[in-house]
Amino acid sequence: MSAPPTIPFLDLQAITAEVAGELHAATRRVIDGGWFVLGPELEAFEAAWAAHCGARHCVGVGSGLDALVLALWAAGIGSGDEVIVPAHTFVATWLAVTRAGGTPVGADVDPATGLLDPAAVAAAVTPRTRAILPVHLYGQAADVDALRSIADRHALVLVDDAAQAHGATYRGRPVGALADATAWSFYPGKNLGALGDGGAVTTDDPALAERLRMLRNYGSREKYVHELAGTNSRLDELQAAVLSVKLAHLAEHNLRRRALAERYRERLAPLGLPLADAGRGTHAWHLFVVRHPERDALQAHLAARGIQTLVHYPIPPHRQAAFDEPAGRFPHAEALAAEVLSLPIGPHLTPADADVVCDAIEAFS
C-alpha cells in the first residue's frame, strides 16, 4: 500500500474536523427530531441557499446529476430536443441531457478559460435546439450575458451547471439566479460539500420550482396523488443539516482558496494558467488548473515528491464510449484534455504547502 501524499489534493478530514462540533450538534438534532425526509432542516437549508444565490426558490434533490436532469425536465426538455453543452466538462453534463430524453450537442470552449464559447454555441443552434447548458467550470462563471442573448434570440431555455461554482459571482451577481434554472452538486469534494451525495436547483421561476418539487417526489404534491411522472430524488434531512453548517463557513473557505490561487499565480506565471476572472466576476477556485505540454510527466514528477494532483478531465465527453463521437470536432477541448493538471487547492492547504508545490513545478520546468 502506497504512503499517503505529503500534500493531498483535498483533505476532507481536515475540512470536516474544523466544524466537527457543529456537525455533531446538527446531526444529533436531526436524529433526536425523528424527521428524516422533506422536513424542517431541508426547508431551512433551501431558504438559506436560495438567499445566498440571490434566487427566489431552491429545491433540494439527491445529487448533482439529478439536479441537472430535473431542471431539464421541469423546463420541458424531452425526446427529440437538442441541448448545447460544452465539449470540456465532466460527463454528467452530457449524461443529464440523455437522461432527460434529449440529445447533447457539443460546442467547443474558449482555450483560455475552458468555458463554453458563445460563438461556438451560436453556430451549433439548429431548428431542434431547445436549450443551452453552460458549465461554470473550475469555479469561474461562463459568459452568461452572451449565452442569454443567444437563448433569447432563438427562444431557448438556459440552464446552467454550477457544480463547481459555489460562491462565484458574475458581474456583481451571485451564480444561482442567472439562468432559468441552476443545478448544484453538494458532492463531498465541492466547495460546499455534504457528507454524502446531494444536489439542488435554484430558480426565480415559481412554476418551474413547483414542477421541480413534484418531480423529485414521485410527481406528487399531495400524498398518493401523482400529477407528473416523477422520480425519487430528495435531499435528506441529515445532509441538509450538514450543508447548513458548512454554508456558514463557505465564504471563509473560499477566501482561503482565493489566497492560495493568488500565490500560485504569482509563482507559476510561466505556465499556462487559468484566467483569474475573465473580467466578469469572482472566481470560487474550486480547482486550480494549469496547462503543460508534458502533463503526464509533470504529474509523475509531483507524485514522486508527495504532491497529489488530478486531471479534470482526461477524456472529453464526446470521446467517451457512451457518446463515441469522432476526434477532432472540438480541438480546444481535446487540447485541454491532453494538457490540464489540477493542483492541490482547498481550505486545508497552507501558503507553505503552495510554495512546496511551486518549488517542485519550477524544478521540473
Side-chain angles (χ1 to χ4, degrees), residues 121 221 280 298:
V121 171
R221 62 181 125 196
R280 293 197 296 264
L298 174 59

Side-chain angles (χ1 to χ4, degrees), residues 294-304 307 309-311 341 364:
E294 299 177 72
R295 187 266 312 284
D296 294 345
L298 174 59
Q299 185 174 37
H301 168 84
L302 294 175
I307 300 167
T309 60
L310 296 175
V311 176
L341 184 66
F364 178 81

Side-chain angles (χ1 to χ4, degrees), residues 122-141:
V125 174
T126 76
R128 293 181 298 279
T129 306
R130 286 288 311 283
I132 304 171
L133 179 49
V135 178
H136 303 304
L137 196 70
Y138 307 153
Q140 181 173 217

Side-chain angles (χ1 to χ4, degrees), residues 32-50:
D32 292 345
W35 195 339
F36 304 114
V37 177
L38 296 181
E41 296 289 347
L42 177 59
E43 290 179 4
F45 173 71
E46 287 176 334
W49 187 238

Side-chain angles (χ1 to χ4, degrees), residues 112-127:
T113 63
L115 297 168
L116 188 60
D117 180 358
V121 171
V125 174
T126 76

Side-chain angles (χ1 to χ4, degrees), residues 157-213:
V157 174
L158 183 63
V159 174
D160 51 351
D161 180 341
Q164 300 183 2
H166 308 79
T169 67
Y170 175 80
R171 302 194 191 284
R173 294 173 289 163
V175 169
L178 305 173
D180 298 305
T182 299
W184 300 93
S185 168
F186 302 124
Y187 183 76
K190 304 300 184 182
N191 290 37
L192 179 61
L195 298 183
D197 259 325
V201 180
T202 51
T203 181
D204 278 344
D205 184 337
L208 191 145
E210 184 61 19
R211 287 195 296 275
L212 284 164
R213 292 187 185 100

